[in-house]
Coordinates of all heavy atoms in Angstrom, one line a residue:
M10 N 0.9 -1.2 0.0 CA 0.0 0.0 0.0 C 0.9 1.2 0.0 O 2.0 1.2 0.6 CB -0.9 0.0 1.2 CG -1.8 1.2 1.3 SD -3.1 1.2 2.6 CE -2.3 0.5 4.0
E11 N 0.4 2.2 -0.7 CA 1.2 3.5 -0.8 C 0.3 4.7 -0.5 O -0.9 4.7 -1.0 CB 1.7 3.6 -2.2 CG 2.7 4.7 -2.4 CD 3.3 4.7 -3.8 OE1 4.2 3.8 -4.0 OE2 2.9 5.5 -4.6
I12 N 0.8 5.6 0.4 CA 0.0 6.8 0.7 C 0.8 8.0 0.3 O 2.0 8.1 0.7 CB -0.3 6.8 2.2 CG1 -1.2 5.6 2.6 CG2 -1.0 8.1 2.6 CD1 -1.4 5.5 4.1
N13 N 0.2 8.8 -0.5 CA 0.9 10.0 -1.0 C 0.6 11.1 0.1 O -0.5 11.7 0.1 CB 0.4 10.4 -2.4 CG 1.1 11.6 -3.0 OD1 2.1 12.1 -2.4 ND2 0.8 11.9 -4.2
L14 N 1.6 11.4 0.9 CA 1.4 12.4 2.0 C 1.5 13.8 1.5 O 0.8 14.7 1.9 CB 2.5 12.1 3.1 CG 2.4 10.8 3.8 CD1 3.6 10.6 4.7 CD2 1.1 10.6 4.5
I15 N 2.5 14.1 0.7 CA 2.7 15.5 0.2 C 3.2 15.4 -1.3 O 4.0 14.6 -1.7 CB 3.9 16.2 1.0 CG1 3.6 16.2 2.5 CG2 4.1 17.6 0.4 CD1 4.7 16.7 3.3
Q16 N 2.6 16.3 -2.1 CA 3.0 16.4 -3.5 C 2.6 17.8 -4.0 O 1.4 18.2 -3.9 CB 2.4 15.3 -4.3 CG 2.9 15.4 -5.8 CD 2.3 14.2 -6.6 OE1 1.4 13.6 -6.2 NE2 3.0 14.0 -7.7
G17 N 3.6 18.6 -4.4 CA 3.3 19.9 -5.0 C 4.4 20.9 -4.8 O 5.4 20.6 -4.3
Q18 N 4.1 22.1 -5.2 CA 5.0 23.2 -5.1 C 4.6 24.0 -3.8 O 3.4 24.3 -3.6 CB 4.8 24.2 -6.3 CG 5.3 23.6 -7.6 CD 6.8 23.4 -7.6 OE1 7.3 22.3 -7.8 NE2 7.6 24.4 -7.4
F19 N 5.6 24.4 -3.0 CA 5.4 25.1 -1.8 C 6.4 26.2 -1.7 O 7.6 26.1 -2.2 CB 5.5 24.2 -0.6 CG 4.5 23.1 -0.6 CD1 4.8 21.9 -1.2 CD2 3.3 23.2 0.0 CE1 3.9 20.8 -1.2 CE2 2.4 22.2 0.0 CZ 2.7 21.0 -0.6
S20 N 6.1 27.3 -1.0 CA 7.0 28.4 -0.8 C 8.0 27.9 0.2 O 7.9 26.9 0.9 CB 6.3 29.6 -0.2 OG 5.8 29.3 1.1
A21 N 9.1 28.7 0.4 CA 10.1 28.3 1.4 C 9.5 28.2 2.8 O 9.8 27.2 3.5 CB 11.3 29.3 1.3
A22 N 8.7 29.1 3.1 CA 8.1 29.1 4.5 C 7.1 27.9 4.6 O 7.1 27.2 5.7 CB 7.3 30.4 4.7
E23 N 6.4 27.6 3.6 CA 5.5 26.4 3.7 C 6.3 25.1 3.7 O 5.9 24.2 4.5 CB 4.5 26.4 2.5 CG 3.5 27.5 2.4 CD 2.8 27.5 1.1 OE1 3.4 27.2 0.0 OE2 1.6 27.9 1.1
T24 N 7.3 25.0 3.0 CA 8.2 23.9 3.0 C 8.8 23.7 4.4 O 8.8 22.6 4.9 CB 9.3 24.0 1.9 OG1 8.7 24.1 0.6 CG2 10.3 22.9 2.0
A25 N 9.3 24.7 4.9 CA 9.9 24.7 6.3 C 8.9 24.2 7.3 O 9.1 23.3 8.1 CB 10.5 26.0 6.7
A26 N 7.7 24.8 7.2 CA 6.6 24.4 8.2 C 6.2 22.9 8.1 O 6.1 22.2 9.1 CB 5.4 25.3 8.0
L27 N 6.1 22.5 6.8 CA 5.7 21.1 6.6 C 6.7 20.1 7.1 O 6.4 19.1 7.9 CB 5.4 20.8 5.1 CG 4.1 21.2 4.6 CD1 4.1 21.2 3.1 CD2 3.0 20.3 5.1
I28 N 8.0 20.3 6.8 CA 9.0 19.4 7.2 C 9.3 19.5 8.7 O 9.4 18.4 9.3 CB 10.3 19.7 6.4 CG1 10.1 19.6 4.9 CG2 11.5 18.8 6.9 CD1 9.6 18.2 4.4
E29 N 9.3 20.7 9.2 CA 9.4 20.8 10.7 C 8.3 20.1 11.4 O 8.6 19.4 12.4 CB 9.5 22.3 11.1 CG 10.7 23.0 10.7 CD 10.8 24.5 11.1 OE1 9.9 24.9 11.8 OE2 11.7 25.2 10.6
Q30 N 7.1 20.2 11.0 CA 6.0 19.5 11.7 C 6.1 18.0 11.5 O 5.8 17.3 12.5 CB 4.7 20.0 11.1 CG 4.3 21.4 11.5 CD 3.0 21.9 10.9 OE1 2.1 21.2 10.7 NE2 3.0 23.2 10.7
M31 N 6.5 17.5 10.4 CA 6.7 16.1 10.2 C 7.8 15.5 11.1 O 7.6 14.5 11.8 CB 7.0 15.7 8.8 CG 5.8 16.0 7.9 SD 6.1 15.6 6.1 CE 6.3 13.9 6.1
L32 N 8.9 16.2 11.2 CA 10.0 15.8 12.1 C 9.6 15.9 13.6 O 9.9 15.0 14.4 CB 11.3 16.6 11.9 CG 12.0 16.3 10.6 CD1 13.1 17.4 10.3 CD2 12.6 14.9 10.6
Q33 N 8.8 16.9 13.9 CA 8.4 17.1 15.3 C 7.4 15.9 15.7 O 7.4 15.4 16.8 CB 7.7 18.4 15.5 CG 7.4 18.7 17.0 CD 8.7 18.7 17.8 OE1 9.7 19.3 17.5 NE2 8.6 17.9 18.9
I34 N 6.6 15.5 14.7 CA 5.7 14.4 15.0 C 6.5 13.1 15.3 O 6.1 12.4 16.2 CB 4.7 14.2 13.8 CG1 3.7 15.3 13.7 CG2 4.1 12.8 13.8 CD1 2.9 15.3 12.5
K35 N 7.6 12.9 14.6 CA 8.4 11.7 14.8 C 9.1 11.8 16.2 O 9.2 10.8 16.9 CB 9.4 11.5 13.7 CG 8.8 10.9 12.5 CD 9.9 10.3 11.6 CE 10.4 9.0 12.3 NZ 11.4 8.3 11.6
I36 N 9.5 13.0 16.5 CA 10.2 13.2 17.8 C 9.2 12.9 19.0 O 9.5 12.2 19.9 CB 10.8 14.6 18.0 CG1 12.0 14.8 17.0 CG2 11.1 15.0 19.4 CD1 12.4 16.2 16.8
T37 N 8.0 13.5 18.8 CA 6.9 13.3 19.8 C 6.6 11.8 19.9 O 6.3 11.3 21.0 CB 5.7 14.1 19.5 OG1 6.1 15.5 19.5 CG2 4.6 14.0 20.6
F38 N 6.5 11.1 18.8 CA 6.2 9.7 18.8 C 7.2 8.9 19.7 O 6.8 8.1 20.5 CB 6.2 9.1 17.4 CG 6.1 7.7 17.3 CD1 4.8 7.1 17.3 CD2 7.2 6.9 17.1 CE1 4.7 5.7 17.2 CE2 7.1 5.5 17.0 CZ 5.8 4.9 17.1
H39 N 8.4 9.1 19.5 CA 9.5 8.4 20.2 C 9.4 8.9 21.7 O 9.6 8.0 22.6 CB 10.8 8.6 19.6 CG 11.0 7.9 18.3 ND1 11.0 6.5 18.3 CD2 11.1 8.3 17.1 CE1 11.2 6.1 17.0 NE2 11.2 7.2 16.3
E40 N 9.2 10.1 22.0 CA 9.1 10.6 23.4 C 8.0 9.9 24.1 O 8.1 9.5 25.2 CB 8.9 12.1 23.4 CG 10.1 12.9 23.0 CD 9.8 14.4 22.9 OE1 8.7 14.8 22.8 OE2 10.8 15.2 22.9
N41 N 6.8 9.7 23.4 CA 5.7 9.1 24.0 C 5.8 7.6 24.2 O 5.1 7.0 25.0 CB 4.4 9.4 23.2 CG 4.0 10.8 23.2 OD1 4.3 11.5 24.2 ND2 3.3 11.2 22.2
K42 N 6.8 7.0 23.5 CA 7.0 5.5 23.6 C 7.9 5.2 24.8 O 7.9 4.1 25.3 CB 7.7 5.0 22.4 CG 6.8 4.9 21.2 CD 5.8 3.8 21.4 CE 5.0 3.5 20.2 NZ 4.1 2.4 20.4
I43 N 8.5 6.2 25.4 CA 9.3 6.0 26.6 C 8.4 6.1 27.8 O 7.7 7.0 28.0 CB 10.5 7.0 26.7 CG1 11.4 6.9 25.5 CG2 11.2 6.9 28.0 CD1 12.4 8.0 25.4
S44 N 8.4 5.0 28.6 CA 7.6 5.0 29.8 C 8.4 4.3 31.0 O 9.5 3.8 30.8 CB 6.3 4.2 29.6 OG 6.6 2.8 29.5
V45 N 7.8 4.3 32.1 CA 8.5 3.7 33.3 C 8.6 2.2 33.1 O 9.4 1.5 33.7 CB 7.7 3.9 34.6 CG1 7.7 5.4 34.9 CG2 6.2 3.4 34.5
F46 N 7.9 1.6 32.1 CA 7.9 0.2 31.9 C 8.9 -0.2 30.8 O 9.2 -1.3 30.5 CB 6.5 -0.3 31.4 CG 5.5 -0.1 32.5 CD1 4.5 0.8 32.3 CD2 5.5 -0.8 33.7 CE1 3.5 1.1 33.2 CE2 4.6 -0.5 34.7 CZ 3.6 0.4 34.4
S47 N 9.6 0.9 30.2 CA 10.5 0.6 29.1 C 11.9 0.1 29.7 O 12.3 0.5 30.7 CB 10.8 1.9 28.3 OG 9.7 2.4 27.7
S48 N 12.5 -0.8 28.9 CA 13.8 -1.3 29.3 C 14.8 -0.2 29.1 O 14.6 0.7 28.3 CB 14.1 -2.5 28.5 OG 14.3 -2.2 27.2
E49 N 16.0 -0.3 29.7 CA 17.0 0.6 29.6 C 17.5 0.6 28.1 O 17.8 1.7 27.5 CB 18.2 0.3 30.5 CG 19.3 1.3 30.4 CD 20.4 1.0 31.5 OE1 20.1 0.4 32.5 OE2 21.6 1.4 31.2
E50 N 17.5 -0.5 27.5 CA 17.9 -0.6 26.1 C 17.0 0.1 25.2 O 17.4 0.8 24.3 CB 18.0 -2.1 25.7 CG 18.4 -2.3 24.3 CD 18.5 -3.8 23.9 OE1 19.0 -4.6 24.7 OE2 18.0 -4.2 22.9
E51 N 15.7 0.0 25.4 CA 14.7 0.7 24.6 C 14.7 2.2 24.8 O 14.6 2.9 23.9 CB 13.2 0.2 24.9 CG 12.2 0.8 24.0 CD 10.8 0.3 24.3 OE1 10.6 -0.6 25.0 OE2 9.9 0.9 23.7
I52 N 14.9 2.6 26.0 CA 15.1 4.0 26.3 C 16.3 4.6 25.6 O 16.1 5.7 24.9 CB 15.2 4.3 27.9 CG1 13.8 3.9 28.5 CG2 15.6 5.7 28.1 CD1 13.9 3.9 30.1
K53 N 17.4 4.0 25.6 CA 18.6 4.4 24.9 C 18.3 4.5 23.4 O 18.8 5.4 22.8 CB 19.8 3.6 25.2 CG 20.3 3.8 26.6 CD 21.6 3.0 26.9 CE 22.1 3.2 28.3 NZ 23.3 2.4 28.6
F54 N 17.7 3.5 22.9 CA 17.3 3.4 21.5 C 16.5 4.6 21.1 O 16.8 5.3 20.1 CB 16.6 2.1 21.1 CG 16.0 2.0 19.8 CD1 16.8 1.8 18.7 CD2 14.6 2.2 19.6 CE1 16.2 1.8 17.4 CE2 14.1 2.2 18.4 CZ 14.8 1.9 17.2
R55 N 15.4 4.9 21.8 CA 14.5 6.0 21.6 C 15.2 7.3 21.7 O 15.1 8.3 20.9 CB 13.3 5.9 22.4 CG 12.5 4.7 22.3 CD 11.2 4.9 21.6 NE 10.5 3.6 21.4 CZ 10.0 3.2 20.3 NH1 10.2 3.9 19.2 NH2 9.4 2.0 20.2
E56 N 16.1 7.5 22.8 CA 16.8 8.7 23.0 C 17.8 9.0 21.8 O 17.9 10.1 21.4 CB 17.6 8.7 24.3 CG 16.6 8.8 25.5 CD 17.4 8.6 26.8 OE1 18.5 8.1 26.9 OE2 16.8 9.1 27.9
T57 N 18.4 8.0 21.3 CA 19.3 8.1 20.2 C 18.5 8.6 18.9 O 18.9 9.5 18.2 CB 20.0 6.8 19.9 OG1 20.8 6.4 21.0 CG2 20.9 6.9 18.6
K58 N 17.3 8.0 18.7 CA 16.5 8.4 17.6 C 16.1 9.9 17.7 O 16.1 10.6 16.8 CB 15.3 7.5 17.5 CG 15.6 6.2 16.9 CD 14.4 5.6 16.2 CE 14.7 4.4 15.3 NZ 14.6 4.7 13.9
I59 N 15.6 10.2 19.0 CA 15.2 11.6 19.2 C 16.3 12.6 19.0 O 16.1 13.6 18.3 CB 14.7 11.7 20.7 CG1 13.3 11.0 20.8 CG2 14.5 13.2 21.1 CD1 12.9 10.7 22.2
K60 N 17.5 12.3 19.5 CA 18.7 13.1 19.3 C 19.0 13.3 17.8 O 19.3 14.4 17.3 CB 19.9 12.6 20.0 CG 21.0 13.6 20.1 CD 22.1 13.0 21.0 CE 21.6 13.0 22.5 NZ 22.6 12.6 23.4
R61 N 19.0 12.2 17.0 CA 19.2 12.3 15.6 C 18.2 13.2 14.9 O 18.5 14.0 14.1 CB 19.3 10.9 15.0 CG 19.6 10.9 13.5 CD 19.6 9.5 12.9 NE 18.3 8.9 13.1 CZ 17.2 9.1 12.3 NH1 17.2 10.0 11.4 NH2 16.1 8.4 12.6
L62 N 16.9 13.0 15.2 CA 15.9 13.8 14.6 C 16.0 15.3 15.0 O 15.8 16.1 14.1 CB 14.5 13.2 15.0 CG 14.1 11.9 14.4 CD1 12.9 11.3 15.2 CD2 13.7 12.1 13.0
Q63 N 16.4 15.6 16.2 CA 16.6 16.9 16.6 C 17.7 17.6 15.9 O 17.7 18.7 15.5 CB 16.8 17.0 18.1 CG 15.6 16.7 18.9 CD 15.8 16.6 20.4 OE1 16.9 16.2 20.8 NE2 14.8 16.9 21.2
E64 N 18.8 16.8 15.6 CA 19.9 17.3 14.9 C 19.5 17.5 13.4 O 19.9 18.6 12.8 CB 21.1 16.3 14.9 CG 21.7 16.3 16.3 CD 22.7 15.1 16.5 OE1 22.9 14.3 15.5 OE2 23.3 15.0 17.5
E65 N 18.8 16.6 12.8 CA 18.3 16.8 11.5 C 17.4 18.1 11.4 O 17.5 18.8 10.4 CB 17.5 15.6 11.0 CG 18.4 14.4 10.7 CD 17.5 13.2 10.2 OE1 16.4 13.4 9.7 OE2 18.1 12.1 10.2
L66 N 16.5 18.3 12.4 CA 15.7 19.4 12.4 C 16.5 20.7 12.5 O 16.2 21.7 11.7 CB 14.7 19.3 13.5 CG 13.7 20.4 13.7 CD1 12.9 20.6 12.4 CD2 12.7 20.2 14.9
A67 N 17.5 20.7 13.3 CA 18.3 21.9 13.5 C 19.1 22.2 12.2 O 19.1 23.4 11.7 CB 19.3 21.8 14.6
S68 N 19.6 21.2 11.5 CA 20.3 21.4 10.3 C 19.4 21.8 9.2 O 19.7 22.7 8.4 CB 20.9 20.0 9.9 OG 21.5 20.1 8.6
F69 N 18.2 21.3 9.1 CA 17.2 21.7 8.1 C 16.8 23.1 8.3 O 16.7 23.9 7.3 CB 15.9 20.8 8.2 CG 14.8 21.2 7.4 CD1 14.8 21.0 6.0 CD2 13.7 21.9 7.9 CE1 13.8 21.5 5.2 CE2 12.7 22.3 7.1 CZ 12.7 22.1 5.7
R70 N 16.5 23.5 9.5 CA 16.2 24.9 9.8 C 17.3 25.9 9.3 O 17.0 26.9 8.7 CB 15.9 25.1 11.3 CG 14.6 24.6 11.8 CD 14.4 24.8 13.2 NE 13.0 24.4 13.7 CZ 12.7 24.0 14.8 NH1 13.7 23.9 15.8 NH2 11.5 23.6 15.1
K71 N 18.5 25.5 9.6 CA 19.6 26.4 9.2 C 19.7 26.5 7.7 O 19.9 27.6 7.2 CB 20.9 25.8 9.8 CG 22.1 26.6 9.5 CD 23.4 26.0 10.1 CE 24.6 26.8 9.8 NZ 25.8 26.2 10.3
Q72 N 19.5 25.4 7.0 CA 19.6 25.5 5.5 C 18.4 26.2 5.0 O 18.5 27.0 4.0 CB 19.6 24.1 5.0 CG 20.9 23.3 5.3 CD 20.9 21.9 4.8 OE1 20.1 21.6 3.9 NE2 21.7 21.1 5.4
M73 N 17.2 26.0 5.5 CA 16.0 26.7 5.0 C 16.0 28.2 5.2 O 15.4 28.9 4.4 CB 14.7 26.1 5.5 CG 14.4 24.7 5.0 SD 14.3 24.7 3.2 CE 12.9 25.7 2.9
H74 N 16.6 28.7 6.2 CA 16.7 30.1 6.5 C 17.5 30.8 5.4 O 17.4 32.0 5.3 CB 17.2 30.4 7.9 CG 16.2 30.1 9.0 ND1 15.0 30.7 9.1 CD2 16.3 29.2 10.0 CE1 14.3 30.2 10.1 NE2 15.1 29.3 10.7
Q75 N 18.3 30.1 4.7 CA 19.1 30.7 3.6 C 18.4 30.5 2.2 O 19.0 30.9 1.2 CB 20.5 30.0 3.6 CG 21.2 30.1 4.9 CD 22.4 29.2 5.0 OE1 22.7 28.4 4.1 NE2 23.1 29.3 6.1
Q76 N 17.2 30.0 2.2 CA 16.6 29.7 0.9 C 15.4 30.6 0.6 O 14.8 31.2 1.5 CB 16.0 28.3 0.9 CG 17.1 27.2 1.2 CD 18.1 27.1 0.1 OE1 17.8 27.2 -1.1 NE2 19.3 26.8 0.4
E77 N 15.2 30.8 -0.7 CA 14.1 31.6 -1.2 C 13.4 30.8 -2.3 O 14.0 29.8 -2.8 CB 14.6 33.0 -1.7 CG 15.1 33.9 -0.6 CD 15.6 35.2 -1.1 OE1 15.4 35.5 -2.3 OE2 16.2 36.0 -0.4
G78 N 12.3 31.3 -2.7 CA 11.6 30.7 -3.9 C 10.7 29.6 -3.5 O 10.3 29.5 -2.3
S79 N 10.4 28.8 -4.5 CA 9.5 27.7 -4.2 C 10.2 26.3 -4.3 O 11.3 26.2 -4.9 CB 8.3 27.7 -5.2 OG 8.7 27.5 -6.5
F80 N 9.6 25.3 -3.7 CA 10.2 24.0 -3.7 C 9.1 23.0 -4.1 O 8.0 23.1 -3.8 CB 10.7 23.6 -2.3 CG 11.8 24.5 -1.8 CD1 11.6 25.7 -1.3 CD2 13.1 24.1 -2.0 CE1 12.6 26.5 -0.8 CE2 14.2 24.9 -1.6 CZ 13.9 26.1 -1.0
H81 N 9.6 21.9 -4.8 CA 8.7 20.8 -5.1 C 8.9 19.7 -4.0 O 10.0 19.3 -3.8 CB 9.0 20.2 -6.5 CG 8.1 19.1 -6.8 ND1 6.8 19.2 -7.2 CD2 8.3 17.7 -6.8 CE1 6.3 18.0 -7.4 NE2 7.2 17.1 -7.1
L82 N 7.8 19.3 -3.4 CA 7.9 18.3 -2.3 C 7.1 17.1 -2.8 O 6.0 17.2 -3.3 CB 7.4 18.8 -1.0 CG 8.1 19.9 -0.3 CD1 7.4 20.3 1.0 CD2 9.5 19.5 0.0
E83 N 7.7 15.9 -2.5 CA 7.0 14.7 -2.6 C 7.3 13.8 -1.4 O 8.5 13.6 -1.1 CB 7.4 13.9 -3.9 CG 6.9 14.5 -5.2 CD 7.2 13.6 -6.4 OE1 7.1 12.4 -6.2 OE2 7.5 14.2 -7.4
A84 N 6.3 13.3 -0.8 CA 6.5 12.4 0.4 C 5.5 11.3 0.2 O 4.3 11.5 0.3 CB 6.3 13.2 1.7
V85 N 6.0 10.1 0.0 CA 5.2 8.9 -0.2 C 5.6 7.9 0.9 O 6.7 7.7 1.2 CB 5.5 8.3 -1.5 CG1 4.7 7.0 -1.7 CG2 5.1 9.3 -2.7
C86 N 4.5 7.4 1.5 CA 4.7 6.4 2.6 C 4.4 5.0 2.0 O 3.2 4.8 1.5 CB 3.8 6.7 3.7 SG 4.1 5.6 5.1
N87 N 5.4 4.1 1.9 CA 5.2 2.8 1.4 C 5.0 1.9 2.6 O 5.8 1.8 3.4 CB 6.4 2.3 0.5 CG 6.5 3.1 -0.8 OD1 5.6 3.2 -1.5 ND2 7.7 3.6 -1.0
I88 N 3.9 1.2 2.6 CA 3.5 0.3 3.7 C 3.5 -1.1 3.2 O 2.8 -1.5 2.3 CB 2.2 0.7 4.3 CG1 2.2 2.1 4.7 CG2 1.8 -0.2 5.4 CD1 0.8 2.7 5.0
E89 N 4.4 -2.0 3.8 CA 4.5 -3.4 3.4 C 4.5 -4.2 4.7 O 5.1 -3.9 5.7 CB 5.8 -3.6 2.6 CG 5.9 -2.9 1.3 CD 7.2 -3.1 0.6 OE1 8.0 -4.1 1.0 OE2 7.5 -2.4 -0.3
K90 N 3.8 -5.3 4.6 CA 3.8 -6.3 5.7 C 5.2 -6.9 5.8 O 5.7 -7.4 4.8 CB 2.7 -7.3 5.5 CG 2.5 -8.2 6.7 CD 1.4 -9.2 6.5 CE 1.3 -10.0 7.8 NZ 0.3 -11.0 7.6
S91 N 5.7 -7.0 7.0 CA 7.0 -7.6 7.2 C 6.9 -9.0 7.8 O 5.9 -9.4 8.2 CB 7.9 -6.8 8.1 OG 7.2 -6.6 9.4

């Protein structure tokens, strides 16, 4: 199954907002998965993912602040049973 999440032309501000929100959703997802019942290994795994996503978000913000014009975005989610 394939879901087309984003497709089209967007301004620099719209592009930044869309990507920032998508990354923030992933960060929040991993934050919410950490609980008092999580193993130390799972907590470290999630913290590593959160840190990587935060770094990507910071890098993206830095790059987008230097951009103007419009951007073509495509985001497709491929869903396959494993």
Side-chain angles (χ1 to χ4, degrees):
M10 178 172 40
E11 187 174 286
I12 299 173
N13 189 356
L14 298 173
I15 302 172
Q16 184 174 17
Q18 291 292 122
F19 300 91
S20 70
E23 292 169 327
T24 299
L27 279 168
I28 300 301
E29 287 179 13
Q30 288 177 32
M31 290 178 71
L32 287 170
Q33 190 57 52
I34 287 169
K35 282 200 70 176
I36 290 168
T37 302
F38 172 81
H39 288 292
E40 289 172 342
N41 291 338
K42 287 290 189 177
I43 297 173
S44 73
V45 294
F46 302 110
S47 299
S48 68
E49 186 175 331
E50 183 178 313
E51 183 178 352
I52 292 170
K53 286 182 182 181
F54 169 77
R55 301 253 180 229
E56 287 175 341
T57 299
K58 284 204 167 250
I59 291 166
K60 192 173 290 186
R61 183 185 54 80
L62 288 164
Q63 288 171 333
E64 289 169 358
E65 286 181 19
L66 181 55
S68 174
F69 173 75
R70 283 179 174 152
K71 183 177 179 182
Q72 291 176 25
M73 285 305 296
H74 286 297
Q75 302 167 357
Q76 301 295 324
E77 294 179 7
S79 64
F80 295 85
H81 179 78
L82 292 179
E83 284 188 38
V85 176
C86 185
N87 292 307
I88 304 165
E89 298 178 12
K90 186 175 181 185
S91 57

